[in-house]
Amino acid sequence: MQRLNFRNIPRGVSIFVFLVLLGFITNCTLATKTHRLYEGPQLPNDETAQILCTGERIRINSVNGQKSPDGKDTFGNVKIVILPGNYHLTVSFSGTSMAMAYGENGRYRYNIYYRHDSLNNVDITMKAEAGHTYLVTSKHDYEKSRWRIIVRDETADRTILKEGPDPLKKIRTGDNRQDRIRYQS
């Protein structure tokens, strides 16, 4: 049986295969999942509402007390299809930041990495209208360790809710001191 020799594959084909695989992996990790949170047959878009949560920082923990059908703590990047009405959402925040540090009287520099998590989950209420799409997003200020929840009605192009600011806890997660950049002396 003859072994496959990867050196015989043309460079262009290798690059193409790499890019296709990279695109597939990226698409799978960033894909927005859809959950339908009502019983019965699927209804047309003009009879339902949608809640979008596509950011890396903001997380929907529950909708009317219902957790993610995937069994996870949060819904993640998601489109939630709901019936019109009043909804209670529990949301949280988790983000990352970096700060530059200097050592040996400024002779080298390195980065320090932090994670910022909301101290408490935030409960919000909103009224969903048929045919509307609502974007759940946030604003944050890492220096003041604060964040605020924002809900936008994308269909009507207006902000319907702005809550906060709420506190963040700052956790140092590491640094790259071993890769420090030395300055010429």
Side-chain angles (χ1 to χ4, degrees), residues 10-80:
R11 183 173 174 88
V13 172
S14 298
I15 292 172
F16 176 75
V17 169
F18 173 76
L19 291 175
V20 167
L21 287 173
L22 181 65
F24 176 75
I25 291 169
T26 302
N27 190 30
C28 289
T29 58
L30 298 177
T32 301
K33 192 160 190 168
T34 301
H35 295 291
R36 186 165 50 107
L37 295 187
Y38 63 89
E39 299 291 324
Q42 186 169 347
L43 299 172
N45 289 343
D46 62 346
E47 294 180 26
T48 61
Q50 297 176 1
I51 300 173
L52 297 177
C53 185
T54 57
E56 297 174 356
R57 296 176 186 101
I58 193 75
R59 300 186 174 151
I60 298 176
N61 299 356
S62 67
V63 177
N64 284 352
Q66 183 177 347
K67 300 281 186 181
S68 170
D70 293 338
K72 298 179 181 174
D73 290 339
T74 65
F75 279 88
N77 285 340
V78 70
K79 174 169 69 170
I80 302 171

Side-chain angles (χ1 to χ4, degrees), residues 67-162:
K67 300 281 186 181
S68 170
D70 293 338
K72 298 179 181 174
D73 290 339
T74 65
F75 279 88
N77 285 340
V78 70
K79 174 169 69 170
I80 302 171
V81 182
I82 56 176
L83 294 174
N86 293 318
Y87 285 87
H88 174 84
L89 278 67
T90 302
V91 296
S92 61
F93 181 93
S94 183
T96 59
S97 70
M98 174 190 75
M100 191 174 297
Y102 297 90
E104 291 181 17
N105 296 324
R107 295 181 58 171
Y108 66 87
R109 71 172 194 239
Y110 60 95
N111 298 321
I112 301 174
Y113 304 100
Y114 297 96
R115 190 177 82 226
H116 305 268
D117 295 328
S118 50
L119 284 176
N120 301 304
N121 293 335
V122 175
D123 295 321
I124 60 171
T125 56
M126 60 174 273
K127 181 176 181 163
E129 298 178 39
H132 286 244
T133 300
Y134 301 92
L135 177 65
V136 178
T137 186
S138 67
K139 295 250 188 227
H140 61 277
D141 184 344
Y142 289 145
E143 289 189 20
K144 293 181 180 177
S145 289
R146 298 270 185 223
W147 73 288
R148 81 174 52 240
I149 181 80
I150 299 169
V151 179
R152 286 195 41 82
D153 182 341
E154 295 292 292
T155 308
D157 194 27
R158 64 185 174 99
T159 300
I160 63 167
L161 180 105
K162 193 181 273 190

